[in-house]
Amino acid sequence: MTPNYDKHPKSKVGLDYLGLENNKNVHWNLKPSELYEKAICRGEAFLTKDHALVVHTGKFTGRSPKDKFIVDQPSIHDDVDWGEINQPISEEVFDNLFTKVQNYLGDKELFVKDLFCGADKNNRLQVRVVSEVAYHGLFAHNMFIRPSNDELVDHEPEFTVLAAPFLEADPSVDGTKSSTFIICNFEKKIILIGGTMYSGEVKKGIFGVMNYLLPKKGIMAMHCSANHDENGKTAVFFGLSGTGKTTLSADPDKTLIGDDEHGWSDEGIFNFEGGCYAKTINLSEEGEPMIYATTKMPGTILENVILNDDREPDFDDVSLTQNTRCSYPINFIPNASKTGTGNHPENIIFLTADAFGVLPPISKLTPEQAMYHFISGYTAKVAGTERGVTEPQATFSACFGAPFMPLHPTAYAELLAEKIRKHGSQVWLVNTGWTGGAYGEGSRMKLTHTRRMLSEAIAGNLENVEYVEDANFGVMVPTAVDGVPSEVLVPRNTWNNPEEYDLKARELASMFVENFKQFEDQASEELLKAAPRVS
């Protein structure tokens, strides 16, 4: 019997606003099982032994930041922090590409998913994803918040992602930099995607929209994970990719609110998403049991993961990319929050993977230092992570998520500082990188030690311990944490040659100061005083 894909709740808003009203081959709000079937039958995906879906995204296994643009319009021109990240493009270029996409998708099989971004009903965004691949439909179903059938009928999209991954632009004709384009038009409320199947563009495109809209309402938009304990004590974890944001928030003793994107309103924090998008490189059952368990579940998407002969994922195989990932609904995590909301955070953690091996494993920040480190957004790349990287390289990404922040970094930093002052949040800097030497000489911080330090800090057990001031960065470092060897806490003591540590620490401090020069003209005197000391 041929499946009937058309018996699903359908929004009263059709596709006429996209110029696709004449397409008769549109599937509305298919269930995961149906999207599975479509993805496999269309050759987009295949199955693991445990019936998770595997997708290889082709040439692009990550985002294409150089091909991402915002349409420069009078209504937003003065708000956007234009530059290499927020690249302007003209309305004419957008309109021509929009027409090209409309013509291309006019007779294609299309998959529409109507969803929400934001667990706070007063501040959520009604989102529509339209794509020529079923895989995008399942990804959107996993990652965004899923409406009820009644909500679907009344769903009116406030922003639409229109994806044509197999349509390539001609830069000489279309005004793009390459055959790939990701263009956000705030007035038309459309994100146009072409030339890439990588689904992270769908997720992060909407994240960028939220990061533009929410601060205008006094709501902090955050690239962070979050959890809370049994007493409702909330912690948020900021950090760039590879710093442990997902791993450390997925604590079996805590309730997971979300693993990547949140808002902080006057009522508390709320998850933007309804799912998780975890990196799977070197994933193991021993190291991250809850995330590992999701990879065995039907409904999970494994992106660019290689299977062995028994059709089991080989998470150590990076032959396609180091950016292997899994996407799954957040309820696949047993201790996930049912509401996606939490109280005002009592603790804020900035995560950095310091490959220079000089930052303390945990340290306490003043509000001014918190702003400074938030604007800096430091972590480090290590040898082998990217072509041409042969030694540790400092990486600074403002607000721990510069590629997704349309406004100037100080706008987010000032809003964060206001929230911290109002609610008395304590900010911690946690180094999940190297100790006892730089990458190649020292060793990676033990996850058990990091978890213990965070647990003690969040529980309030570090309030009355002795602290020493770090000579280079001015942060306060505890000299004792229950369950952690004391020699680990002060990084200089972990190096065989303390003089080499001093040199490397001054080198990194200088990098901080040099990077921050781009923000000095909009920084207060108090903020500038929070900079590392460079002799």
Side-chain angles (χ1 to χ4, degrees):
M1 188 177 191
T2 303
N4 187 339
Y5 293 106
D6 298 322
K7 290 185 177 180
H8 298 89
K10 178 180 176 181
S11 167
K12 60 189 176 184
V13 178
L15 298 183
D16 51 316
Y17 70 103
L18 297 175
L20 297 171
E21 65 273 17
N22 294 324
N23 189 314
K24 306 303 181 185
N25 201 10
V26 180
H27 303 295
W28 290 84
N29 298 308
L30 296 189
K31 297 175 182 177
S33 58
E34 295 168 313
L35 291 166
Y36 248 57
E37 186 175 77
K38 281 289 187 181
I40 293 170
C41 291
R42 289 162 51 89
E44 300 171 10
F46 48 96
L47 293 176
T48 70
K49 174 185 174 183
D50 299 300
H51 305 114
L53 199 72
V54 180
V55 176
H56 291 171
T57 60
K59 181 170 67 170
F60 294 98
T61 57
R63 292 181 299 101
S64 302
K66 293 182 180 179
D67 298 309
K68 177 173 158 287
F69 304 91
I70 297 175
V71 179
D72 190 357
Q73 297 159 317
S75 59
I76 67 165
H77 179 80
D78 292 338
D79 295 331
V80 175
D81 183 30
W82 302 106
E84 291 184 5
I85 292 173
N86 298 308
Q87 301 180 102
I89 204 164
S90 71
E91 291 189 77
E92 181 183 7
V93 169
F94 176 88
D95 290 341
N96 289 339
L97 277 169
F98 188 24
T99 300
K100 195 169 187 174
V101 170
Q102 289 171 322
N103 293 335
Y104 172 79
L105 294 179
D107 59 355
K108 294 287 190 297
E109 191 173 17
L110 297 180
F111 300 88
V112 179
K113 289 294 290 187
D114 288 323
L115 303 144
F116 296 124
C117 182
D120 180 349
K121 291 186 177 181
N122 295 320
N123 294 295
R124 69 188 182 188
L125 188 72
Q126 298 193 72
V127 174
R128 172 171 289 173
V129 176
V130 182
S131 178
E132 64 173 316
V133 293
Y135 144 66
H136 280 167
L138 182 62
F139 178 85
H141 175 91
N142 284 355
M143 297 311 304
F144 294 109
I145 295 171
R146 296 159 285 280
S148 67
N149 287 347
D150 290 340
E151 288 174 325
L152 281 173
V153 174
D154 294 325
H155 190 281
E156 296 187 24
E158 297 172 277
F159 233 94
T160 298
V161 177
L162 184 59
F166 301 128
L167 172 66
E168 295 188 345
D170 181 346
S172 64
V173 174
D174 296 318
T176 57
K177 289 186 174 181
S178 76
S179 60
T180 300
F181 54 93
I182 305 99
I183 308 176
C184 181
N185 188 318
F186 277 98
E187 290 188 0
K188 284 190 167 65
K189 299 180 179 179
I190 292 172
I191 298 172
L192 210 56
I193 299 175
T196 174
M197 196 163 81
Y198 182 66
S199 60
E201 302 289 11
V202 175
K203 165 186 151 79
K204 292 301 187 184
I206 292 297
F207 184 29
V209 170
M210 295 290 277
N211 289 347
Y212 177 84
L213 297 175
L214 291 184
K216 293 180 173 297
K217 300 167 66 175
I219 298 171
M220 179 64 189
M222 305 181 291
H223 183 214
C224 71
S225 59
N227 64 25
H228 66 75
D229 64 15
E230 58 185 5
N231 299 314
K233 184 180 287 189
T234 299
V236 299
F237 303 77
F238 288 89
L240 299 172
S241 180
T243 58
K245 186 158 48 73
T246 298
T247 299
L248 292 168
S249 61
D251 186 330
D253 297 324
K254 305 286 195 307
T255 297
L256 176 67
I257 300 171
D259 85 325
D260 197 40
E261 302 166 2
H262 293 80
W264 187 355
S265 70
D266 289 340
E267 284 69 47
I269 70 165
F270 60 95
N271 192 3
F272 287 175
E273 302 181 290
C276 300
Y277 194 36
K279 294 193 77 168
T280 60
I281 182 172
N282 304 133
L283 180 66
S284 69
E285 187 172 14
E286 297 73 28
E288 300 175 81
M290 290 194 295
I291 296 174
Y292 182 85
T294 68
T295 68
K296 304 286 187 181
M297 298 181 182
T300 292
I301 302 171
L302 299 177
E303 281 187 350
N304 299 307
V305 171
I306 302 296
L307 303 186
N308 63 23
D309 292 341
D310 294 323
R311 301 190 73 81
E312 295 178 333
D314 182 353
F315 295 122
D316 297 325
D317 189 328
V318 294
S319 55
L320 287 180
T321 178
Q322 294 213 9
N323 189 38
T324 55
R325 289 184 178 266
C326 61
S327 160
Y328 50 89
I330 195 169
N331 59 279
F332 281 16
I333 299 292
N335 58 336
S337 168
K338 290 180 171 58
T339 66
T341 61
N343 296 323
H344 297 291
E346 294 187 31
N347 290 278
I348 296 171
I349 295 98
F350 295 161
L351 300 170
T352 179
D354 176 27
F356 294 87
V358 299
L359 287 178
I362 189 166
S363 53
K364 186 160 61 173
L365 307 184
T366 65
E368 292 74 26
Q369 288 171 334
M371 284 185 69
Y372 186 93
H373 282 273
F374 180 71
I375 293 174
S376 298
Y378 165 70
T379 192
K381 297 175 183 176
V382 298
T385 57
E386 291 184 9
R387 186 170 56 190
V389 178
T390 58
E391 59 183 31
Q393 291 184 0
T395 299
F396 295 94
S397 184
C399 309
F400 295 99
F404 326 118
M405 305 293 176
L407 308 179
H408 192 277
T410 54
Y412 303 101
E414 288 168 2
L415 191 51
L416 179 63
E418 177 187 321
K419 300 282 188 187
I420 290 171
R421 284 192 293 267
K422 183 175 181 180
H423 301 290
S425 307
Q426 177 59 60
V427 185
W428 306 88
L429 180 65
V430 171
N431 175 18
T432 61
W434 275 257
T435 183
Y439 173 80
E441 296 179 3
S443 58
R444 192 80 191 251
M445 294 282 182
K446 290 185 178 180
L447 181 59
T448 53
H449 289 166
T450 300
R451 286 193 187 279
R452 183 67 183 177
M453 287 183 283
L454 282 172
S455 178
E456 290 293 292
I458 291 170
N461 295 335
L462 300 187
E463 290 181 4
N464 299 313
V465 303
E466 181 184 357
Y467 284 82
V468 294
E469 185 178 24
D470 184 274
N472 297 285
F473 294 90
V475 297
M476 300 305 293
V477 183
T479 59
V481 176
D482 187 40
V484 179
S486 58
E487 62 268 18
V488 172
L489 299 173
V490 179
R492 192 174 190 270
N493 297 340
T494 68
W495 284 54
N496 291 329
N497 187 329
E499 287 73 24
E500 287 185 9
Y501 166 85
D502 293 336
L503 290 172
K504 190 60 69 175
R506 285 196 290 270
E507 179 185 348
L508 181 59
S510 297
M511 292 178 184
F512 267 87
V513 172
E514 184 63 29
N515 171 73
F516 206 83
K517 287 180 179 179
Q518 62 185 304
F519 307 117
E520 285 181 350
D521 60 337
Q522 297 194 40
S524 66
E525 184 176 346
E526 290 75 16
L527 181 54
L528 293 176
K529 288 179 180 177
R533 300 156 187 167
V534 180
S535 57

Coordinates of all heavy atoms in Angstrom, one line a residue, residues 434-480:
W434 N 45.0 22.4 28.2 CA 46.2 21.7 28.6 C 46.8 22.2 30.0 O 46.6 23.4 30.4 CB 47.2 21.8 27.5 CG 47.0 20.8 26.5 CD1 47.7 19.6 26.3 CD2 46.0 20.7 25.5 NE1 47.2 18.9 25.3 CE2 46.2 19.5 24.8 CE3 44.9 21.6 25.1 CZ2 45.3 19.2 23.7 CZ3 44.1 21.2 24.1 CH2 44.3 20.0 23.4
T435 N 47.5 21.3 30.6 CA 48.2 21.7 31.9 C 49.5 21.0 31.9 O 49.8 20.0 31.2 CB 47.3 21.2 33.1 OG1 48.0 21.6 34.3 CG2 47.2 19.7 33.1
G436 N 50.5 21.6 32.6 CA 51.8 21.0 32.7 C 52.7 21.3 31.5 O 53.7 20.7 31.3
G437 N 52.2 22.1 30.6 CA 52.9 22.4 29.4 C 51.9 22.7 28.3 O 50.7 22.4 28.4
A438 N 52.4 23.2 27.2 CA 51.5 23.5 26.0 C 51.2 22.2 25.3 O 51.7 21.1 25.6 CB 52.2 24.4 25.1
Y439 N 50.3 22.3 24.4 CA 49.9 21.1 23.6 C 51.2 20.5 23.0 O 52.0 21.1 22.4 CB 49.0 21.5 22.4 CG 48.6 20.4 21.5 CD1 47.7 19.5 21.7 CD2 49.3 20.4 20.2 CE1 47.4 18.5 20.8 CE2 49.0 19.4 19.3 CZ 48.1 18.4 19.6 OH 47.8 17.5 18.7
G440 N 51.3 19.1 23.1 CA 52.5 18.4 22.6 C 53.4 18.1 23.7 O 54.3 17.2 23.6
E441 N 53.4 18.9 24.8 CA 54.3 18.6 26.0 C 53.5 18.3 27.2 O 53.8 17.4 27.9 CB 55.2 19.9 26.2 CG 56.1 20.1 25.0 CD 57.0 21.4 25.3 OE1 56.8 22.0 26.4 OE2 57.7 21.8 24.4
G442 N 52.4 19.1 27.5 CA 51.6 18.9 28.6 C 50.5 17.9 28.4 O 50.6 17.2 27.3
S443 N 49.6 17.8 29.2 CA 48.5 16.8 29.0 C 47.1 17.6 29.2 O 47.0 18.6 29.7 CB 48.6 15.7 30.1 OG 48.5 16.3 31.4
R444 N 46.1 17.0 28.6 CA 44.8 17.6 28.7 C 44.2 17.5 30.1 O 44.5 16.5 30.8 CB 43.8 16.8 27.7 CG 42.5 17.5 27.4 CD 42.6 18.6 26.4 NE 41.4 19.4 26.3 CZ 40.6 19.4 25.3 NH1 40.8 18.6 24.3 NH2 39.6 20.2 25.3
M445 N 43.5 18.5 30.5 CA 42.9 18.5 31.8 C 42.0 17.2 31.9 O 41.3 16.9 31.0 CB 42.0 19.7 32.0 CG 42.8 21.0 32.0 SD 43.5 21.3 33.6 CE 44.2 22.9 33.3
K446 N 42.0 16.6 33.0 CA 41.2 15.4 33.2 C 39.7 15.9 33.4 O 39.4 16.8 34.2 CB 41.6 14.6 34.5 CG 43.0 13.9 34.3 CD 43.3 13.1 35.5 CE 44.6 12.3 35.4 NZ 44.9 11.5 36.5
L447 N 38.9 15.2 32.6 CA 37.4 15.5 32.7 C 36.9 15.3 34.1 O 36.0 16.1 34.5 CB 36.7 14.7 31.7 CG 35.2 14.9 31.5 CD1 34.9 16.3 31.2 CD2 34.5 13.9 30.5
T448 N 37.4 14.3 34.8 CA 36.9 14.1 36.1 C 37.2 15.3 37.1 O 36.4 15.7 37.9 CB 37.5 12.8 36.7 OG1 38.9 12.9 36.6 CG2 37.0 11.6 36.0
H449 N 38.4 15.9 36.9 CA 38.8 17.0 37.7 C 38.0 18.2 37.3 O 37.5 19.0 38.2 CB 40.3 17.4 37.4 CG 41.2 16.4 38.0 ND1 42.6 16.3 37.7 CD2 41.0 15.4 39.0 CE1 43.2 15.3 38.4 NE2 42.2 14.7 39.2
T450 N 37.7 18.4 36.0 CA 36.9 19.6 35.6 C 35.5 19.5 36.1 O 34.9 20.4 36.7 CB 36.9 19.7 34.1 OG1 38.2 19.9 33.6 CG2 36.1 20.9 33.6
R451 N 34.9 18.3 36.0 CA 33.6 18.1 36.5 C 33.5 18.3 38.1 O 32.6 19.0 38.6 CB 33.1 16.6 36.3 CG 32.8 16.4 34.8 CD 32.0 15.0 34.7 NE 31.8 14.6 33.4 CZ 30.8 15.0 32.6 NH1 29.9 15.9 33.1 NH2 30.6 14.6 31.4
R452 N 34.6 17.9 38.8 CA 34.6 18.1 40.2 C 34.7 19.6 40.6 O 34.0 20.1 41.5 CB 35.8 17.3 40.8 CG 35.9 17.4 42.3 CD 34.7 16.6 43.0 NE 34.7 16.8 44.4 CZ 33.8 16.3 45.2 NH1 32.8 15.6 44.7 NH2 33.9 16.4 46.5
M453 N 35.6 20.3 39.9 CA 35.7 21.7 40.2 C 34.4 22.5 39.9 O 34.0 23.3 40.7 CB 36.9 22.3 39.3 CG 38.3 21.8 39.8 SD 39.6 22.6 38.9 CE 39.6 21.6 37.4
L454 N 33.8 22.1 38.8 CA 32.5 22.8 38.5 C 31.4 22.5 39.5 O 30.7 23.3 39.9 CB 32.1 22.4 37.1 CG 32.8 23.1 35.9 CD1 32.4 22.4 34.6 CD2 32.4 24.6 35.9
S455 N 31.4 21.2 39.9 CA 30.4 20.8 40.9 C 30.6 21.5 42.2 O 29.6 22.0 42.8 CB 30.5 19.3 41.1 OG 29.6 18.8 42.1
E456 N 31.8 21.7 42.6 CA 32.1 22.4 43.9 C 31.8 23.9 43.8 O 31.2 24.5 44.7 CB 33.6 22.2 44.3 CG 33.9 20.8 44.7 CD 33.3 20.5 46.1 OE1 33.6 21.0 47.1 OE2 32.4 19.6 46.1
A457 N 32.1 24.5 42.6 CA 31.8 25.9 42.4 C 30.3 26.2 42.4 O 29.8 27.1 43.0 CB 32.5 26.4 41.1
I458 N 29.6 25.3 41.6 CA 28.2 25.5 41.5 C 27.4 25.3 42.8 O 26.5 26.0 43.1 CB 27.6 24.6 40.4 CG1 28.2 25.1 39.0 CG2 26.1 24.6 40.4 CD1 27.9 24.2 37.8
A459 N 28.0 24.4 43.6 CA 27.3 24.1 44.9 C 27.6 25.2 45.9 O 27.0 25.2 47.0 CB 27.8 22.7 45.4
G460 N 28.5 26.1 45.6 CA 28.8 27.2 46.5 C 29.9 26.8 47.5 O 30.2 27.5 48.5
N461 N 30.6 25.7 47.3 CA 31.7 25.2 48.2 C 33.0 25.9 48.0 O 33.9 25.6 48.7 CB 31.9 23.7 48.0 CG 30.6 22.9 48.4 OD1 29.8 23.4 49.2 ND2 30.4 21.8 47.9
L462 N 33.1 26.8 47.0 CA 34.4 27.6 46.8 C 34.3 29.0 47.3 O 35.1 29.8 47.1 CB 34.8 27.6 45.3 CG 35.0 26.2 44.7 CD1 35.5 26.4 43.3 CD2 35.9 25.4 45.5
E463 N 33.2 29.3 48.1 CA 33.0 30.7 48.5 C 34.0 31.1 49.6 O 34.4 32.2 49.6 CB 31.6 30.9 49.0 CG 30.5 30.8 47.9 CD 29.1 31.0 48.5 OE1 29.0 31.3 49.7 OE2 28.1 30.9 47.7
N464 N 34.4 30.1 50.4 CA 35.2 30.5 51.6 C 36.6 29.9 51.6 O 37.2 29.8 52.6 CB 34.5 30.1 52.9 CG 33.1 30.8 53.0 OD1 33.1 32.0 52.8 ND2 32.1 30.1 53.4
V465 N 37.0 29.4 50.4 CA 38.4 28.8 50.4 C 39.4 29.9 50.1 O 39.0 31.1 49.7 CB 38.5 27.7 49.3 CG1 37.5 26.6 49.5 CG2 38.3 28.3 47.9
E466 N 40.6 29.6 50.2 CA 41.7 30.6 50.0 C 41.9 30.8 48.5 O 41.9 29.8 47.7 CB 43.0 30.2 50.6 CG 44.1 31.2 50.4 CD 45.4 30.7 51.0 OE1 45.4 29.6 51.6 OE2 46.5 31.4 50.8
Y467 N 42.1 32.0 48.0 CA 42.4 32.3 46.6 C 43.8 33.0 46.5 O 44.2 33.7 47.4 CB 41.3 33.2 46.0 CG 40.0 32.5 45.7 CD1 39.1 32.3 46.7 CD2 39.7 32.1 44.4 CE1 37.9 31.6 46.4 CE2 38.5 31.4 44.1 CZ 37.6 31.2 45.1 OH 36.4 30.6 44.8
V468 N 44.4 32.8 45.3 CA 45.6 33.6 45.0 C 45.3 34.3 43.6 O 44.6 33.7 42.8 CB 46.8 32.7 44.9 CG1 47.2 32.2 46.3 CG2 46.7 31.6 43.9
E469 N 45.9 35.4 43.4 CA 45.7 36.1 42.2 C 46.7 35.7 41.1 O 47.9 35.6 41.4 CB 45.9 37.6 42.4 CG 45.6 38.5 41.2 CD 45.7 40.0 41.5 OE1 46.5 40.3 42.4 OE2 45.1 40.8 40.8
D470 N 46.2 35.4 39.9 CA 47.1 35.0 38.8 C 47.9 36.2 38.4 O 47.3 37.3 38.1 CB 46.3 34.4 37.7 CG 47.1 33.9 36.5 OD1 47.6 34.8 35.7 OD2 47.4 32.7 36.5
A471 N 49.2 36.1 38.3 CA 50.1 37.2 38.1 C 49.9 37.8 36.7 O 50.2 39.0 36.5 CB 51.6 36.8 38.3
N472 N 49.5 37.0 35.8 CA 49.4 37.6 34.4 C 47.9 38.0 34.0 O 47.8 39.0 33.3 CB 49.8 36.5 33.4 CG 51.3 36.1 33.6 OD1 52.2 36.9 33.2 ND2 51.5 35.0 34.2
F473 N 47.0 37.2 34.5 CA 45.6 37.5 34.0 C 44.7 38.2 35.1 O 43.6 38.6 34.9 CB 44.9 36.2 33.5 CG 45.6 35.7 32.3 CD1 46.6 34.8 32.4 CD2 45.2 36.1 31.0 CE1 47.3 34.3 31.2 CE2 45.8 35.6 29.9 CZ 46.8 34.8 30.0
G474 N 45.2 38.2 36.4 CA 44.5 39.0 37.4 C 43.3 38.3 38.0 O 42.6 38.8 38.8
V475 N 43.0 37.0 37.5 CA 41.9 36.3 38.0 C 42.2 35.6 39.3 O 43.4 35.4 39.6 CB 41.4 35.2 37.0 CG1 41.0 35.9 35.7 CG2 42.5 34.3 36.7
M476 N 41.2 35.3 40.1 CA 41.4 34.7 41.4 C 41.3 33.2 41.3 O 40.3 32.6 40.8 CB 40.4 35.2 42.4 CG 40.5 36.7 42.6 SD 42.2 37.3 43.0 CE 42.3 36.6 44.7
V477 N 42.4 32.5 41.8 CA 42.5 31.0 41.7 C 42.4 30.4 43.0 O 43.1 30.7 43.9 CB 43.8 30.7 41.0 CG1 43.9 29.2 40.8 CG2 44.0 31.4 39.7
P478 N 41.4 29.4 43.2 CA 41.4 28.7 44.5 C 42.6 27.8 44.7 O 43.1 27.2 43.8 CB 40.1 27.9 44.4 CG 39.9 27.7 42.9 CD 40.4 28.9 42.2
T479 N 43.0 27.8 45.9 CA 44.2 26.9 46.2 C 43.8 25.5 46.7 O 44.7 24.7 46.8 CB 45.1 27.6 47.3 OG1 44.3 27.7 48.5 CG2 45.6 28.9 46.9
A480 N 42.5 25.3 46.9 CA 42.1 24.0 47.3 C 40.7 23.7 46.8 O 39.8 24.6 47.0 CB 42.1 23.8 48.8

